[in-house]
Amino acid sequence: GDSVTQMEGPVTLSEEAFLTINCTYTATGYPSLFWYVQYPGEGLQLLLKATKADDKGSNKGFEATYRKETTSFHLEKGSVQVSDSAVYFCALIGIQGAQKLVFGQGTRLTINP
Amino acid sequence: DTAVSQTPKYLVTQMGNDKSIKCEQNLGHDTMYWYKQDSKKFLKIMFSYNNKELIINETVPNRFSPKSPDKAHLNLHINSLELGDSAVYFCASSQAPGGYRETQYFGPGTRLLVL
């Protein structure tokens, strides 16, 4: 079945550092790919998404590019802020069957001032 | 102007009790979902309804019963609560036409603690 693998956390960085959170997937065809963010004590918010190969999703300075050849959707940000501290989830919706999000295990990110 | 709302936000109860969680969306979406987030933050689909029809029913104990009175509401009833049911339950909704390209919008979650 479909699956998503994210880099193990937790990740701790200093403010203004460069961020990469790796995400790879296994799925049939061209699934849609998503990054969701969960701030402490809150629900999930969509951060960005891409629905076809080579698409780049971007929002709030974060970017991720849909790479079919490496089945990856790595999240990047050039300069992180303390307010980016959260848990980040990579997820996909497969092209077959019902629309269900399949999530990675989440990566906890802490940014120190 | 809450898009997807859930009640209650927190629920503390004893083992063996029966409880319900309510979800409402005002986005005009056709499809609604329940996800469970365990203590390690792992998220997994439980159920999905499209226009009041059940379309996803993952391997969830039959103590869990979803009910959709209309397409804007999806409730989750849990019978005979067990310690292992302690988790955060998220409701979500999406449009149907775009299928797998559609974004799912999540509620704030219901934190259930079974003692």
Side-chain angles (χ1 to χ4, degrees), chain A residues 44-88:
Chain A
L44 291 153
Q45 301 176 25
L46 177 72
L47 184 57
L48 52 84
K49 76 177 197 183
T51 59
K52 57 183 189 292
D54 301 323
D55 265 3
K56 178 186 282 189
S58 60
N59 186 26
K60 300 182 182 180
F62 290 89
E63 293 182 340
T65 301
Y66 190 142
R67 303 278 188 208
K68 179 62 178 173
E69 61 277 11
T70 53
T71 61
S72 65
F73 193 54
H74 304 321
L75 183 68
E76 296 182 337
K77 187 174 184 183
S79 176
V80 291
Q81 306 300 314
V82 172
S83 57
D84 294 327
S85 299
V87 180
Y88 292 81

Side-chain angles (χ1 to χ4, degrees), chain A residues 13-60:
Chain A
L13 295 172
S14 297
E15 208 165 18
E16 299 183 4
F18 184 85
L19 169 71
T20 301
I21 301 178
N22 289 336
C23 172
T24 57
Y25 68 89
T26 302
T28 303
Y30 292 79
S32 290
L33 302 174
F34 304 82
W35 277 100
Y36 280 86
V37 58
Q38 185 176 26
Y39 297 102
E42 295 187 12
L44 291 153
Q45 301 176 25
L46 177 72
L47 184 57
L48 52 84
K49 76 177 197 183
T51 59
K52 57 183 189 292
D54 301 323
D55 265 3
K56 178 186 282 189
S58 60
N59 186 26
K60 300 182 182 180

Side-chain angles (χ1 to χ4, degrees), chain A residues 32 36 38 49 99 101, chain B residues 33 35 37 100-101 103-104:
Chain A
S32 290
Y36 280 86
Q38 185 176 26
K49 76 177 197 183
Q99 299 159 234
L101 277 162
Chain B
Y33 312 81
Y35 288 86
Q37 185 175 43
Y100 69 98
R101 294 191 177 89
T103 297
Q104 294 183 19

